């Protein structure tokens, strides 16, 4: 249920919160066209170069076809944080937009069944939303200095 304390999906005016939003991100020595490509590249870092010049949909597709690193389950949230932090600190307008969400709860609501990074049919861990709120808090703290 939507309210003024929650952003329930990363579409429309909040599409910039999505990893599919096109904006350059520099991570791990590579420039990516979107956060999804940067994140998917870390599934098999030796092939990260393959993710540099592709759109998010293609990156997600390719990320399902690479050899998954053995420690992926232990490191994937750290990589997502790094990607999101880069996205919102390297692109000042996006950083300002993230800060403009105030204290709202960010929920990556979806209909495609992602109950790990988001919430589908009211169920899910919402890892992406939680990471974005952490990034927002980190940026707020650094702006106070």
């Amino acid at each position: 249920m939507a309210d003024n304390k929650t952003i329930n999906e990363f579409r429309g005016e909040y599409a910039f919160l999505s990893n599919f939003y096109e904006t350059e991100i520099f991570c791990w020595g590579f420039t990516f066209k979107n956060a999804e490509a940067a994140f998917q590249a870390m599934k098999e870092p030796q092939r990260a170069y393959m993710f540099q010049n592709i759109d998010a949909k293609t990156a997600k597709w390719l990320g399902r076809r690479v050899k998954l690193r053995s420690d992926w389950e232990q490191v994937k949230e750290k990589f997502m944080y790094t990607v999101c932090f880069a996205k919102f600190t390297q692109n000042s307008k996006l950083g300002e937009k993230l800060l403009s969400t105030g204290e709202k709860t960010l929920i990556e609501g979806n209909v495609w069944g992602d109950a790990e990074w988001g919430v589908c049919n009211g169920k899910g861990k919402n890892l992406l939303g939680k990471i974005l709120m952490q990034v927002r808090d980190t940026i707020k703290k650094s702006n106070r200095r």
Side-chain angles (χ1 to χ4, degrees):
M1 179 169 195
D3 60 41
N4 62 0
K5 295 180 182 177
T6 306
I7 294 170
N8 287 308
E9 62 182 15
F10 302 163
R11 285 179 248 169
E13 93 178 89
Y14 299 111
F16 72 94
L17 294 168
S18 169
N19 281 353
F20 277 53
Y21 187 83
E22 293 292 322
T23 187
E24 275 196 359
I25 299 168
F26 183 78
C27 278
W28 307 293
F30 299 96
T31 301
F32 302 96
K33 292 176 118 181
N34 52 71
E36 187 68 21
F39 176 71
Q40 295 291 338
M42 288 299 96
K43 287 182 172 180
E44 189 179 359
Q46 315 79 283
R47 295 176 64 187
Y49 67 92
M50 297 174 65
F51 290 84
Q52 288 186 96
N53 294 306
I54 57 177
D55 63 47
K57 185 177 178 182
T58 305
K60 189 170 187 173
W61 178 87
L62 183 59
R64 290 181 175 154
R65 284 150 183 82
V66 298
K67 184 178 184 218
L68 199 60
R69 58 187 296 152
S70 62
D71 63 348
W72 183 245
E73 289 304 313
Q74 292 76 42
V75 299
K76 66 184 179 184
E77 289 179 53
K78 181 184 89 167
F79 284 134
M80 183 65 81
Y81 180 89
T82 300
V83 167
C84 291
F85 185 80
K87 174 181 175 179
F88 290 101
T89 58
Q90 293 173 14
N91 301 283
S92 60
K93 288 183 181 175
L94 292 183
E96 290 169 17
K97 288 176 84 166
L98 178 62
L99 290 175
S100 77
T101 64
E103 296 299 318
K104 291 182 180 178
T105 301
L106 306 179
I107 298 174
E108 206 276 302
N110 66 81
V111 295
W112 50 87
D114 184 351
E116 182 168 15
W117 294 105
V119 173
C120 184
N121 296 322
K123 296 180 180 161
K125 295 179 184 177
N126 192 38
L127 295 177
L128 179 58
K130 290 174 183 174
I131 286 169
L132 290 172
M133 291 184 283
Q134 290 172 353
V135 168
R136 180 179 65 195
D137 289 345
T138 301
I139 293 171
K140 277 183 195 175
K141 287 174 186 168
S142 70
N143 285 348
R144 288 188 206 138
R145 293 180 187 168

